[in-house]
């Protein structure tokens, strides 16, 4: 089937991950031209090449062709294979950059995925491993992806620019996904957080916690922020500190925010007090945006709804991020699926920003390569 499907062509380096992940799931080849063609340094960047190598590891029989300058990429996906793997991620981007795509692909492998990723665990660009663990894993569980082998843990923490972090991720395979109805986010009942510091004084983490609490305690009593100070080899190669916060609602929705300090030698030094306060404000902004899925995981929720059984799935989201809007266009190209989008202005019962109710009928995607036991 995959061979007859005509290939899709795009130009530019934007949304490269989206295109390659959807190509892998739909079996449709994709050709991407003019990747930074006018740049002083044209072609694929190191972190994108590393991402393509990772895709090659988790699939079997993929065909990848890149021209000499790296400005054109042809990708014909193979079967998702899985198994036990290791991958050294580029330190230019966080492990979250690679993990977000693995979360989309892992449930549809032939063998359960068990992978060790090395690189930067927390940076200022990509979602950190802590936030993905607190928000993306519960979201996958809503779709019926669960089990003892479903885990994500930080073995070592690594900050940019040196990296040196290590993360273990394992995920069971599923033949089909459950449709979902996530339309009532519920009220915030507790906030949990993780303040981490590596290769700096452990006192930094405590200062972050105090300043974050100074803002959040006005709203809610049930706040607990753990401090995580890794020493020696587990602390990676570069100094840094940061905070990730997650608010949980009565209906099991998780909304997250995070901040990390500037990488060593880049930008002005940041006080832990400022970082704690700013992160708390970011969390309040995310709660204001609201919805049943936070803005980091909007595209993951929409993808799993698309691949669900031929039944109606609904999810209430906050304002759609530009990344999610482009993702909806790609879903239409690869899977010919359209979402019904209804705006829900904030009325009496809905506090915060305007919400969007996304409805679709799944395409009935089933994992044919899953070995039957």
């Amino acid at each position: 089937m995959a061979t007859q499907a005509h290939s899709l062509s795009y130009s530019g380096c934007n949304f490269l991950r989206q295109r390659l992940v959807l190509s892998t799931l739909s079996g449709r080849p994709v050709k991407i031209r003019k990747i930074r063609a006018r740049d002083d340094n044209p072609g694929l960047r190191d972190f994108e090449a590393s991402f393509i190598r990772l895709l090659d590891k988790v699939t079997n029989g993929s065909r990848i062709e890149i021209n000499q300058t790296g400005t054109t990429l042809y990708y014909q996906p193979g079967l998702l294979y899985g198994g036990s793997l290791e991958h050294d991620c580029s330190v230019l981007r966080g492990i979250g950059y690679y993990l977000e795509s693995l979360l989309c692909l892992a449930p549809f492998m032939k063998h359960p995925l068990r992978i060790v990723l090395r690189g930067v665990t927390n940076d200022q660009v990509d979602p950190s491993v802590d936030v993905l663990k607190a928000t993306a894993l519960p979201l996958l569980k809503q779709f019926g992806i669960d089990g003892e082998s479903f885990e994500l843990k930080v073995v070592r923490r690594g900050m940019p620019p040196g990296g040196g972090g290590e993360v273990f991720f394992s995920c069971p395979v599923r033949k089909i996904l459950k449709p979902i109805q996530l339309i009532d986010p519920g009220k915030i009942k507790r906030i949990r957080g993780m303040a981490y510091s590596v290769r700096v004084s452990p006192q930094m983490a405590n200062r972050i916690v105090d300043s974050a609490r100074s803002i959040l305690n006005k709203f809610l009593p049930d706040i607990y922020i753990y401090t995580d100070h890794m020493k020696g080899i587990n602390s990676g190669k570069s100094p840094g500190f940061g905070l990730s916060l997650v608010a949980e609602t009565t209906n099991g929705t998780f909304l997250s925010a995070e901040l990390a300090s500037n990488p060593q030698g880049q930008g002005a030094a940041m006080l832990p007090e400022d970082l704690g306060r700013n992160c708390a404000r970011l969390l309040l902004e995310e709660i204001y945006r609201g919805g049943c899925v936070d803005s980091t995981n909007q595209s993951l929720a929409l993808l799993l709804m698309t691949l669900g059984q031929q039944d109606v799935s609904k999810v209430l989201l906050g304002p759609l991020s530009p990344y999610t809007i482009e993702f909806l266009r790609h879903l239409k190209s690869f899977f010919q699926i359209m979402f019904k989008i209804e705006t829900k202005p904030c009325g009496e019962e809905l506090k915060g920003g305007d919400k969007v109710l996304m409805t679709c009928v799944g395409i009935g995607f089933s994992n044919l390569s899953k070995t039957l036991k």
Side-chain angles (χ1 to χ4, degrees):
M1 175 199 129
T3 46
Q4 279 90 33
H6 67 283
S7 72
L8 292 162
S9 65
Y10 293 102
S11 66
C13 62
N14 283 353
F15 310 107
L16 180 85
R17 285 184 308 165
Q18 287 188 11
R19 290 165 182 168
L20 294 180
V21 165
L22 292 174
S23 163
T24 309
L25 287 168
S26 64
R28 299 183 69 170
V30 64
K31 186 167 192 178
I32 302 172
R33 297 186 182 84
K34 296 183 184 169
I35 301 174
R36 299 190 185 87
R38 298 186 170 185
D39 218 60
D40 292 345
N41 179 13
L44 290 165
R45 291 281 176 271
D46 193 27
F47 61 87
E48 291 163 337
S50 175
F51 177 72
I52 293 167
R53 281 196 294 275
L54 176 63
L55 274 184
D56 193 35
K57 282 180 187 173
V58 297
T59 56
N60 191 358
S62 293
R63 203 170 114 221
I64 300 162
E65 294 168 13
I66 300 171
N67 69 351
Q68 275 185 315
T69 50
T71 51
T72 304
L73 163 72
Y74 176 76
Y75 174 71
Q76 185 175 347
L79 293 171
L80 282 164
Y81 194 73
S84 295
L85 301 165
E86 292 187 6
H87 185 68
D88 292 325
C89 307
S90 164
V91 291
L92 299 174
R93 294 293 290 261
I95 289 178
Y97 176 83
Y98 303 90
L99 206 50
E100 276 186 300
S101 300
L102 284 180
L103 287 166
C104 300
L105 298 171
F108 309 107
M109 305 267 176
K110 182 170 185 180
H111 300 289
L113 181 68
R114 297 170 58 80
I115 188 164
V116 173
L117 297 167
R118 297 190 188 88
V120 174
T121 53
N122 305 76
D123 69 354
Q124 296 175 316
V125 188
D126 299 295
S128 70
V129 180
D130 304 289
V131 159
L132 288 175
K133 180 177 179 176
T135 58
L137 298 200
L139 178 65
L140 287 166
K141 287 177 184 173
Q142 302 266 17
F143 287 90
I145 301 162
D146 199 1
E148 287 174 17
S149 62
F150 191 36
E151 68 167 329
L152 172 58
K153 66 174 186 244
V154 180
V155 184
R156 296 176 184 168
R157 225 173 252 294
M159 299 288 288
E166 187 175 301
V167 171
F168 173 72
F169 172 57
S170 71
C171 179
V173 286
R174 286 287 170 271
K175 193 162 190 309
I176 47 175
L177 299 178
K178 292 195 305 204
I180 55 158
Q181 303 280 330
L182 296 177
I183 42 186
D184 180 15
K187 290 186 164 42
I188 305 289
K189 65 175 179 181
R190 61 168 168 235
I191 292 176
R192 294 287 177 265
M194 167 77 80
Y196 54 87
S197 54
V198 291
R199 299 197 174 269
V200 292
S201 158
Q203 205 51 44
M204 292 287 196
N206 300 337
R207 287 163 63 185
I208 294 173
V209 173
D210 292 343
S211 59
R213 292 191 72 118
S214 69
I215 288 184
L216 297 174
N217 273 358
K218 297 172 191 167
F219 301 96
L220 201 68
D222 187 359
I223 297 173
Y224 197 92
I225 302 176
Y226 300 87
T227 55
D228 176 26
H229 182 71
M230 288 197 168
K231 296 189 183 71
I233 192 169
N234 289 347
S235 63
K237 297 175 183 170
S238 301
F241 53 85
L243 172 65
S244 57
L245 294 170
V246 177
E248 185 184 348
T249 71
T250 47
N251 289 357
T253 294
F254 294 87
L255 303 169
S256 66
E258 62 178 332
L259 268 181
S261 59
N262 288 329
Q264 184 185 15
Q266 296 174 28
M270 193 185 275
L271 283 172
E273 285 79 9
D274 293 345
L275 185 134
R277 279 194 294 273
N278 292 343
C279 189
R281 291 189 188 113
L282 281 176
L283 182 69
L284 295 175
E285 187 185 332
E286 187 65 53
I287 291 169
Y288 175 81
R289 292 172 63 118
C292 294
V293 179
D294 68 348
S295 36
T296 316
N297 295 305
Q298 283 177 350
S299 50
L300 177 62
L302 296 175
L303 173 69
L304 295 174
M305 283 165 66
T306 302
L307 299 175
Q309 293 177 48
Q310 291 175 334
D311 200 348
V312 178
S313 287
K314 290 184 180 188
V315 67
L316 185 73
L317 300 175
L320 297 179
S321 65
Y323 187 82
T324 309
I325 292 166
E326 191 62 36
F327 192 73
L328 285 167
R329 293 182 185 132
H330 281 131
L331 282 176
K332 188 188 173 193
S333 312
F334 283 96
F335 291 109
Q336 288 79 50
I337 187 162
M338 303 273 276
F339 278 79
K340 181 182 174 196
I341 304 177
E342 300 167 74
T343 51
K344 297 275 181 194
C346 65
E348 285 301 307
E349 74 279 14
L350 279 177
K351 297 284 186 285
D354 293 348
K355 309 285 187 288
V356 188
L357 182 65
M358 310 290 288
T359 312
C360 82
V361 176
I363 58 167
F365 185 89
S366 79
N367 183 357
L368 298 176
S369 58
K370 178 181 183 303
T371 42
L372 296 170
K373 294 207 169 53

